[in-house]
Amino acid sequence: MTTGKGIFITGTNTAVGKTVVTRGVARLLTNKGVDVAAIKPVESGVDQVEHSDAFAICRAAGRGHSPASVTAYSFRTPVSPHLAAAIENRHIDEDIVVSFLKGWLSQAEVVLAEGAGGLLVPLNSRITYADAIAQTRYTLLIVAPDILGTINATLLTIEAARARGIAVAGVVLNRATSSDRFGNREAISCFGRVPILGTVPELDAEDDLLADKLEGNLDLERFFSLLLS
Ligand SMILES: Nc1ncnc2c1ncn2[C@@H]1O[C@H](COP(=O)(O)OP(=O)(O)OP(=O)(O)O)[C@@H](O)[C@H]1O
Ligand SMILES: [Mg+2]
């Protein structure tokens, strides 16, 4: 049985670019011959499958997985998963989410799992997503927008992860300015003791273009050594 490397892609908030980065990394690794699966264990706000994150990241990974197969829980209501489940008279079982994350590790060399919102979103009335990740061997990749306020939000995310024993692989700054205008790169790497693995500029969102752009903006050497560690 293969045991793949699991990377959990979280963000400092919702809508910060987790899907864009997941798609770009998935396509980039696929182009380099790595066997990648991209999954979205819990998704809310799914009005049509074609608009879902699961659909977008599956397509980028190019393995032919169906969106349904890469998702354990999908909700129509566009709110936090715990609330979406309650509104739709359902319940998220954390053991199912943990088993789902673990199970995919035997399916590919690299598993990219996109979170929902930020790290501490509740899955139900008892636990947050972070508590579920802590029960797996996934390491964390944090996507953060390169804006004012990101130092604090990113350092809080790093602390919350480490407090639960989750390893933090690094941070990708999204929609990055060419200069470190807000001091995000320097302060996050210094105070957070994490590498800035990439700075993704404002870009057009086609999958192939995304991979090319990411290749030029990701610290590939560091990224691949992370995958091998
Ligand atoms: N680097 C970028 N350049 C241009 N547009 C971007 C970039 N990053 C993100 N976007 C756009 O911003 C929006 C939010 O990005 P995205 O869907 O990746 O966020 P997310 O963190 O995955 O959100 P969610 O919490 O809903 O999963 C999307 O419309 C996306 O196309
Ligand atoms: Mg997303």
Side-chain angles (χ1 to χ4, degrees), residues 89-110:
N89 293 315
R90 294 170 63 196
H91 172 75
I92 298 177
D93 180 339
E94 64 259 32
D95 293 339
I96 289 180
V97 175
V98 171
S99 305
F100 191 81
L101 282 165
K102 288 181 174 170
W104 270 97
L105 294 177
S106 61
Q107 307 292 317
E109 272 177 80
V110 175

Side-chain angles (χ1 to χ4, degrees), residues 74-216:
S74 180
F75 305 100
R76 289 183 68 88
T77 319
V79 293
S80 168
H82 78 296
L83 187 56
I87 290 169
E88 296 177 27
N89 293 315
R90 294 170 63 196
H91 172 75
I92 298 177
D93 180 339
E94 64 259 32
D95 293 339
I96 289 180
V97 175
V98 171
S99 305
F100 191 81
L101 282 165
K102 288 181 174 170
W104 270 97
L105 294 177
S106 61
Q107 307 292 317
E109 272 177 80
V110 175
V111 180
L112 304 173
E114 184 187 336
L119 189 62
L120 293 188
V121 294
L123 292 180
N124 53 39
S125 59
R126 283 186 350 98
I127 73 158
T128 68
Y129 221 144
D131 302 317
I133 302 162
Q135 295 176 54
T136 72
R137 323 187 260 107
Y138 281 72
T139 54
L140 209 64
L141 182 65
I142 301 169
V143 178
D146 193 16
I147 57 174
L148 187 62
T150 277
I151 296 172
N152 178 59
T154 309
L155 294 179
L156 285 171
T157 301
I158 292 169
E159 281 210 13
R162 290 191 178 139
R164 289 165 177 79
I166 302 168
V168 181
V171 173
V172 171
L173 286 169
N174 190 29
R175 304 183 117 159
T177 51
S178 52
S179 64
D180 191 11
R181 184 169 164 216
F182 300 110
N184 289 334
R185 289 165 219 189
E186 183 155 355
I188 291 167
S189 53
C190 169
F191 287 93
R193 301 180 315 280
V194 284
I196 304 296
L197 291 171
T199 49
V200 179
E202 187 72 27
L203 41 81
D204 201 342
E206 287 300 316
D207 280 343
D208 287 316
L209 188 64
L210 215 55
D212 289 345
K213 289 280 185 187
L214 224 65
E215 175 143 22

Side-chain angles (χ1 to χ4, degrees), residues 9-23 40 42-44 53 57 114-118 143 173-176 200-205 210 214:
I9 293 134
T10 192
T12 50
N13 204 343
T14 188
V16 292
K18 295 183 299 295
T19 303
V20 166
V21 170
T22 306
R23 282 170 46 217
K40 176 91 181 182
V42 180
E43 182 164 5
S44 54
D53 287 357
I57 63 178
E114 184 187 336
V143 178
L173 286 169
N174 190 29
R175 304 183 117 159
V200 179
E202 187 72 27
L203 41 81
D204 201 342
L210 215 55
L214 224 65

